């Protein structure tokens, strides 16, 4: 027997139990210490990774803020008023555009550095001259925009950065547009997202603070800490342990923006350590309490066992001497039945061993099955989260593109309309034939731009739809000739039209456009020819399927699929195919708006779209449109007849008077000019209040022609409602650059609304006005 065994034999039982409790308590204390160390290490690692991810997220928000200002400045740089030198009207346009970024201002300098305009003061007010001799040579040699670092603005006397856009006339620099990047807007990006235990800062290329919490006002324009600057000089991004400007040790994650600025998020060491210390103290107190309890229990149990063992000894001595013994109480029942129990226990333990093996085998099988189920559930959840993130991204891009398309539609109305006017007025001028081709080229370019804005509106779900109950099978059969012409002789089209296809309630023209886009994409994916399959079927989405998507409802749907045997799309590109201006085609072979338009139309129609593709095998695009369950006649979908562009335009009848309400000066002048040329008497107004005053005081009015979006107290729909109370029979024609809830609900144009979308030409306006006037007299 070992020395330790000899020592234990000589000791009382309660000593041995105390030693056992001590041996148990020491590992408990040691394991608590080790677990705390691992917890502290994991917490530090989690904080470091979180700070780095937060810095990259904030860097993306800073880039988004700069891109927003750059987009506004770029749009304004193409202003016809600026290009023509009409700075007064440009000042008005710039002031309205800057409402998108409150607090920012805009300036225009000449190449010599002279300030020509600023939105900080009314147009024409006196402004200081600022000279910067290297403006054109140093910063704009490649004609690209330039992001300035933080500096004191000469007019506002405030620290701000600037986005500079050069405007060239030929090879000569004509203007420099600068839009301010106000520090307070960057501060707002993170002011409410971080608590007092974090330090957040944005640095420009000179490593000076553009925004900081805490002490933004105190630190604005000052240098970052020496430790952070040294780290930035060494690496553009990372996680470092430095002291803040206040002298406190911190972990700092930092990342660069695309424009050369740096964003950092720091957390003070003391704020990280404080909760860890609380956990350590709590763990130590608990361990000590458990150890003390173990000692007490060991002593109590030892004393109890000693009593039982003394009783057993006495009984055994009595049996050995041949004496009878009486039943005596013992501290545990096993002492009186130990002999009989051991024999029975051996048999029972063998039986239970076999049963336990069987149970373990079944348990392992159940654990394996449950593990597989959990993995499948995790996979489904990850897929659902990825789809949700992609949907939110598409919705955000859609809001931006809808606003851009609205602004461009107003511009295109003026451009297309005036080009049309110039062309008509020059038609009978001798020698003007040589100018027709440039004018027609400009008109074609404007029409292409209009198609682009229409696709942007379709993607952003802001186009007015005119749905009707149709049969998709009938629509496809009616488009067979068009599909054959679109794909050429190398591509074979096969149609698999399901029997008993349900009717659906959609805009037939938009569905035709979507199908045409998918067919062209399929053709381009098969440059050497192949088979293109168009299929329809009835299907049903259950709750288990739709829970993976944010904007899909369970129920019956009609499926339309277009499948090619082409090159296919890899997984990375497949995730971006619905983004506007993203294309898998080569340079110059696609605008990247076809699938974006299809996606927007399907979602606006309450449907669902999925794309399945394998590289080298082909691609299948499946559109699901809701089944129309109400009783209604299915409308046939005839192909629109070609418009006779040479036919004479309908003119006004004697005395016909139209009130034109339009707050965009260029669009208003064009509309008034066109209608007057057609013989109508025109009364023009700049806003709803002025239009209402004209209606009240004018005896004869045959039509109200108003923009939906108007400045002032009344928008176009509100104006029409008030006018209808005064003159119930007066027809109203609306116009707009994009849809608003005033006239469109759930993606469908209201039943009582006549709408002329911008941009429009003289022919569009003449035919629409004549049709409404003739209908009102019928």
């Amino acid at each position: 027997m070992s020395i330790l065994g000899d020592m234990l034999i000589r000791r009382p039982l309660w000593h041995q139990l105390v030693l056992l409790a001590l041996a148990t308590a020491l590992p408990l204390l040691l394991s608590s210490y080790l677990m705390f160390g691992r917890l502290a290490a994991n917490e530090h690692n989690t904080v470091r990774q979180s700070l780095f991810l937060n810095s990259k997220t904030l860097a993306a928000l800073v880039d988004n803020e700069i891109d927003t200002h750059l987009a506004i400045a770029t749009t304004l740089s193409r202003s016809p008023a600026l290009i023509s030198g009409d700075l007064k009207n440009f000042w008005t346009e710039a002031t309205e555009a800057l409402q998108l970024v409150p607090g920012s201002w805009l300036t225009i300098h000449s190449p010599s550095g002279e300030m020509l305009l600023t939105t900080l003061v009314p147009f024409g007010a006196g402004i200081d001259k600022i000279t910067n001799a290297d403006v054109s040579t140093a910063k704009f040699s490649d004609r690209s925009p330039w992001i300035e670092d933080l500096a004191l603005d000469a007019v506002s006397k405030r620290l701000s950065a600037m986005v500079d856009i050069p405007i060239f006339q030929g090879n000569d620099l004509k203007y420099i547009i600068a839009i301010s990047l106000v520090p307070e807007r960057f501060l707002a990006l993170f002011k409410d997202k971080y608590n007092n235990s974090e330090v957040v800062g944005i640095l420009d290329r000179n490593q000076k603070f553009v925004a900081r919490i805490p002490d933004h006002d105190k630190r604005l324009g000052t240098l970052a800490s020496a430790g952070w600057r040294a780290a930035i000089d060494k690496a553009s991004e990372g996680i470092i342990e430095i002291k803040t400007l206040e002298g406190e040790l911190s972990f700092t994650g930092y990342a660069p923006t695309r424009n050369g600025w740096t964003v950092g998020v720091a957390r003070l060491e003391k704020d990280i350590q404080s909760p860890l210390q609380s956990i350590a103290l709590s763990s130590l107190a608990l361990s000590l309490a458990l150890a003390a309890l173990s000692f007490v229990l060991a002593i109590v149990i030892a004393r109890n066992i000693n009593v039982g063992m003394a009783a057993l000894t006495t009984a055994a001595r009595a049996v050995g001497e041949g004496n009878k013994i009486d039943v005596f109480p013992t501290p545990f029942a096993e002492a009186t039945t130990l002999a009989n129990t051991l024999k029975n226990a051996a048999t029972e333990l063998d039986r239970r061993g076999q049963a336990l093996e069987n149970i373990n085998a079944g348990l392992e099988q159940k654990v394996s099955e449950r593990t597989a189920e959990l993995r499948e559930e995790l996979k489904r959840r990850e897929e659902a989260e990825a789809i949700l993130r992609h949907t939110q991204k598409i919705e955000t891009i859609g809001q931006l593109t809808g606003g851009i398309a609205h602004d461009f539609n107003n511009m295109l109305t003026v451009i297309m309309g005036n080009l049309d006017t110039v062309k008509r007025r020059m038609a009978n001028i001798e020698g003007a034939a040589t100018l027709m081709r440039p004018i027609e080229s400009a008109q074609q370019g404007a029409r292409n731009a209009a198609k682009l804005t229409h696709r942007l509106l379709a993607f952003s779900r802001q186009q007015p739809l005119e749905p009707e109950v149709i049969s998709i099978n009938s629509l496809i059969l009616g488009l067979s000739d068009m599909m054959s012409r679109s794909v050429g002789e190398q591509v074979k089209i096969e149609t698999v039209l399901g029997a008993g296809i349900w009717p659906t309630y959609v805009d037939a023209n938009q569905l035709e456009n979507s199908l045409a886009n998918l067919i062209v994409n399929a053709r381009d994916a098969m440059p050497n020819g192949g088979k293109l399959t168009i299929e329809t079927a009835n299907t049903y989405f259950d709750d288990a399927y739709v829970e993976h998507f944010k904007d899909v409802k369970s129920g019956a749907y009609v499926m339309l699929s277009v499948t090619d045997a082409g090159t296919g799309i890899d997984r990375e590109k497949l995730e971006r195919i619905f983004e506007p201006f993203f294309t898998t085609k080569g340079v110059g072979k696609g605008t990247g708006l076809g699938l974006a338009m299809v996606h927007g139309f399907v979602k606006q129609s309450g449907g669902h779209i999925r794309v399945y593709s394998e590289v080298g095998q082909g691609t299948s695009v499946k559109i699901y449109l809701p089944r129309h369950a109400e009783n209604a006649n299915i409308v046939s979908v005839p192909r629109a007849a070609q418009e006779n562009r040479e036919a004479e335009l309908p003119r006004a009848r004697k005395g016909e008077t139209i009130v034109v309400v339009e707050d965009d000066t260029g669009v208003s002048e064009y509309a008034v000019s066109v209608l007057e040329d057609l013989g109508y008497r025109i009364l023009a107004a700049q806003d709803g209040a002025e239009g209402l005053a004209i209606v009240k005081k004018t005896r004869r009015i045959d039509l109200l022609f108003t923009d939906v979006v108007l400045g002032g107290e009344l928008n176009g729909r509100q104006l029409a409602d008030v006018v209808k109370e005064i003159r119930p029979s007066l027809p109203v024609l609306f116009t707009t650059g994009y849809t608003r809830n005033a006239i469109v609900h759930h993606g469908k144009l209201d039943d009582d609304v006549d709408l002329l979308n911008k941009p429009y030409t003289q022919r569009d306006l003449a035919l629409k006005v004549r049709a409404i006037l003739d209908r009102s007299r019928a």
Side-chain angles (χ1 to χ4, degrees):
M1 188 174 290
S2 66
I3 297 175
L4 178 60
D6 293 340
M7 292 177 62
L8 291 176
I9 289 175
R10 299 188 186 100
R11 295 291 177 182
L13 181 60
W14 74 271
H15 284 185
Q16 298 183 36
L17 288 176
V18 169
L19 289 175
L20 177 61
L22 180 61
T24 304
L26 287 176
L28 176 62
L29 293 172
L30 180 59
S31 64
S32 297
Y33 175 78
L34 294 176
M35 289 177 64
F36 172 75
R38 180 171 295 181
L39 174 64
N42 290 339
E43 178 64 14
H44 279 80
N45 185 59
T46 300
V47 169
R48 290 164 65 90
Q49 294 302 319
S50 175
L51 291 173
F52 183 64
L53 292 176
N54 285 344
S55 67
K56 293 182 77 68
T57 299
L58 185 55
L61 292 175
V62 170
D63 280 331
N64 184 64
E65 179 70 14
I66 294 175
D67 289 345
T68 298
H69 286 71
L70 180 60
I72 293 173
T74 301
T75 301
L76 290 172
S77 69
R78 302 189 183 103
S79 168
L82 179 60
I83 294 172
S84 65
D86 185 2
L87 296 183
K88 182 176 182 180
N89 278 335
F90 178 77
W91 183 93
T92 300
E93 294 177 0
T95 301
E96 294 176 352
L98 289 176
Q99 294 178 4
L100 297 174
V101 284
S104 297
W105 64 87
L106 178 143
T107 61
I108 295 181
H109 292 84
S110 67
S112 64
E114 179 184 359
M115 184 180 293
L116 304 176
L117 175 148
T118 176
T119 59
L120 287 170
V121 298
F123 181 80
I127 53 178
D128 297 334
K129 293 184 178 179
I130 302 171
T131 303
N132 188 355
D134 65 344
V135 167
S136 61
T137 58
K139 298 178 181 176
F140 307 119
S141 58
D142 60 351
R143 302 193 178 194
S144 298
W146 179 260
I147 309 301
E148 298 281 356
D149 289 318
L150 195 69
L152 185 64
D153 182 74
V155 178
S156 68
K157 308 303 182 184
R158 293 167 57 188
L159 285 172
S160 69
M162 305 295 285
V163 176
D164 295 338
I165 303 290
I167 300 177
F168 285 83
Q169 190 173 47
N171 293 324
D172 297 325
L173 181 63
K174 186 175 181 181
Y175 298 118
I176 300 99
I177 290 181
I179 185 170
S180 66
L181 297 169
V182 182
E184 287 72 15
R185 289 187 61 82
F186 292 107
L187 180 63
L189 294 177
F190 56 83
K191 185 175 182 180
D192 297 328
K193 295 181 177 65
Y194 297 96
N195 54 41
N196 295 330
S197 65
E198 293 168 313
V199 179
V200 185
I202 301 174
L203 303 182
D204 63 12
R205 288 184 288 266
N206 296 324
Q207 298 180 347
K208 292 183 177 181
F209 282 110
V210 178
R212 185 183 189 265
I213 57 170
D215 299 329
H216 169 76
D217 295 333
K218 178 181 177 181
R219 301 300 183 186
L220 179 63
T222 64
L223 285 171
S225 66
W228 192 10
R229 286 185 278 132
I232 294 173
D233 292 337
K234 184 180 295 185
S236 62
E237 63 179 27
I239 304 173
I240 54 174
E241 185 174 358
I242 59 172
K243 285 188 176 181
T244 66
L245 289 172
E246 290 79 7
E248 296 184 278
L249 188 63
S250 69
F251 285 100
T252 300
Y254 66 96
T257 69
R258 294 197 308 271
N259 301 286
W261 290 10
T262 304
V263 174
V265 180
R267 190 170 179 186
L268 301 181
E269 175 69 16
K270 66 179 183 181
D271 293 324
I272 301 174
Q273 293 295 341
S274 179
L276 292 176
Q277 292 173 355
S278 298
I279 294 174
L281 293 175
S282 300
S283 299
L284 178 60
L286 178 61
S287 299
L288 292 175
L290 291 175
L293 179 61
S294 298
F295 293 152
V296 172
L297 289 175
I299 293 173
V300 172
I301 293 172
R303 293 181 63 182
N304 196 31
I305 290 177
N306 283 337
V307 172
M309 293 302 295
L312 287 174
T313 302
T314 301
R317 186 178 295 112
V319 171
E321 293 176 353
N323 299 325
K324 292 182 179 180
I325 60 173
D326 297 326
V327 177
F328 58 91
T330 59
F332 46 88
E334 289 82 358
T336 59
T337 59
L338 182 61
N340 294 330
T341 302
L342 287 176
K343 181 180 178 180
N344 296 332
T347 303
E348 181 64 16
L349 285 175
D350 181 69
R351 185 188 67 79
R352 292 187 179 186
Q354 295 296 327
L356 183 61
E357 289 181 2
N358 295 334
I359 291 173
N360 286 337
L363 182 61
E364 290 177 358
Q365 178 65 26
K366 291 181 179 180
V367 169
S368 177
E369 294 174 355
R370 183 55 182 161
T371 300
E373 292 175 359
L374 290 175
R375 288 176 179 171
E376 184 65 25
E377 176 64 23
L378 180 60
K379 180 180 178 181
R380 289 196 298 268
R381 187 170 299 176
E382 290 175 348
E383 291 176 352
E385 290 174 352
I387 292 171
L388 177 60
R389 289 193 298 271
H390 183 67
T391 300
Q392 292 172 337
K393 176 182 178 182
I394 292 297
E395 289 179 352
T396 301
I397 298 174
Q399 293 174 359
L400 175 61
T401 54
I404 293 173
H406 166 245
D407 293 337
F408 270 93
N409 276 333
N410 270 340
M411 299 177 191
L412 289 172
T413 300
V414 178
I415 293 171
M416 293 175 65
N418 285 289
L419 284 172
D420 185 56
T421 300
V422 170
K423 182 178 178 181
R424 287 186 289 101
R425 293 181 179 179
M426 294 184 64
N428 297 323
I429 299 177
E430 184 176 355
T434 56
L435 298 175
M436 287 302 178
R437 175 166 291 183
I439 293 175
E440 290 174 352
S441 297
Q443 286 181 310
Q444 184 59 45
R447 285 192 291 269
N448 291 340
K451 292 179 181 178
L452 183 65
T453 59
H454 287 162
R455 290 188 172 190
L456 287 174
L457 289 175
F459 166 73
S460 61
R461 311 181 200 178
Q462 294 178 353
Q463 60 177 339
L465 299 180
E466 298 185 35
E468 54 191 341
V469 181
I470 66 168
S471 167
I472 289 184
N473 282 358
S474 298
L475 182 141
I476 294 173
L477 292 175
L479 296 175
S480 58
D481 292 340
M482 180 276 291
M483 293 189 295
S484 299
R485 291 193 302 270
S486 298
V487 300
E489 297 180 353
Q490 288 185 304
V491 176
K492 178 183 177 182
I493 297 179
E494 179 179 344
T495 57
V496 183
L497 305 183
I501 294 298
W502 296 320
T504 184
Y505 188 62
V506 294
D507 189 312
N509 290 329
Q510 293 297 329
L511 181 56
E512 289 182 10
N513 291 338
S514 299
L515 180 58
N517 272 296
L518 297 180
I519 290 173
V520 170
N521 285 347
R523 178 202 64 192
D524 293 343
M526 300 184 291
N528 298 322
K531 186 173 75 170
L532 188 156
T533 304
I534 300 174
E535 183 179 0
T536 62
N538 295 329
T539 188
Y540 187 88
F541 290 163
D542 57 19
D543 294 336
Y545 179 83
V546 301
E547 70 178 2
H548 295 288
F549 304 95
K550 176 184 176 183
D551 52 356
V552 182
K553 297 180 179 179
S554 59
Y557 288 81
V558 179
M559 186 273 292
L560 167 63
S561 71
V562 177
T563 304
D564 64 64
T567 55
I569 307 170
D570 61 46
R571 178 177 295 274
E572 181 178 353
K573 292 180 179 178
L574 195 64
E575 295 178 353
R576 301 184 57 196
I577 57 174
F578 293 136
E579 296 180 13
F581 305 113
F582 177 80
T583 178
T584 59
K585 302 177 183 178
V587 177
K589 295 184 179 180
T591 64
L593 282 175
L595 282 176
M597 182 274 288
V598 174
H599 179 273
F601 159 68
V602 172
K603 291 299 181 183
Q604 191 175 355
S605 300
H608 181 51
I609 182 169
R610 296 290 286 164
V611 179
Y612 308 89
S613 185
E614 292 187 15
V615 176
Q617 300 298 316
T619 301
S620 179
V621 181
K622 295 188 176 184
I623 293 174
Y624 301 89
L625 297 171
R627 174 187 181 183
H628 185 72
E630 298 179 5
N631 295 326
N633 294 326
I634 298 178
V635 179
S636 60
V637 187
R639 303 300 300 159
Q642 292 293 328
E643 183 181 348
N644 184 2
R645 306 298 297 182
E646 303 300 327
E648 184 177 352
L649 297 179
R651 298 184 61 80
R653 297 175 184 174
K654 183 177 181 180
E656 287 183 324
T657 302
I658 300 176
V659 176
V660 177
V661 184
E662 171 65 63
D663 58 357
D664 187 289
T665 304
V667 177
S668 176
E669 291 176 351
Y670 169 67
V672 170
S673 173
V674 166
L675 293 172
E676 287 180 342
D677 287 347
L678 293 171
Y680 294 99
R681 175 173 173 251
I682 303 302
L683 302 174
Q686 291 292 322
D687 55 36
E690 185 179 352
L692 181 59
I694 292 174
V695 171
K696 288 181 177 180
K697 71 180 181 180
T698 305
R699 184 173 182 180
R700 175 175 179 177
I701 298 176
D702 297 278
L703 176 68
L704 173 62
F705 179 39
T706 178
D707 192 358
V708 174
V709 182
L710 294 174
E713 298 180 355
L714 297 175
N715 62 32
R717 184 55 191 251
Q718 291 169 336
L719 171 63
D721 291 341
V722 175
V723 169
K724 283 290 188 180
E725 294 179 0
I726 301 173
R727 302 189 181 197
S729 61
L730 180 64
V732 179
L733 173 60
F734 291 99
T735 183
T736 186
Y738 77 127
T739 62
R740 285 289 183 93
N741 289 338
I743 61 172
V744 173
H745 294 85
H746 306 293
K748 176 189 173 185
L749 197 66
D750 292 347
D751 294 334
D752 62 340
V753 168
D754 287 303
L755 175 66
L756 178 62
N757 280 310
K758 295 180 182 177
Y760 54 79
T761 63
Q762 182 202 32
R763 176 171 295 277
D764 299 331
L765 182 56
L767 294 174
K768 194 72 173 181
V769 168
R770 190 69 262 160
I772 293 174
L773 290 175
D774 290 345
R775 186 184 66 202
S776 68
R777 295 187 175 91

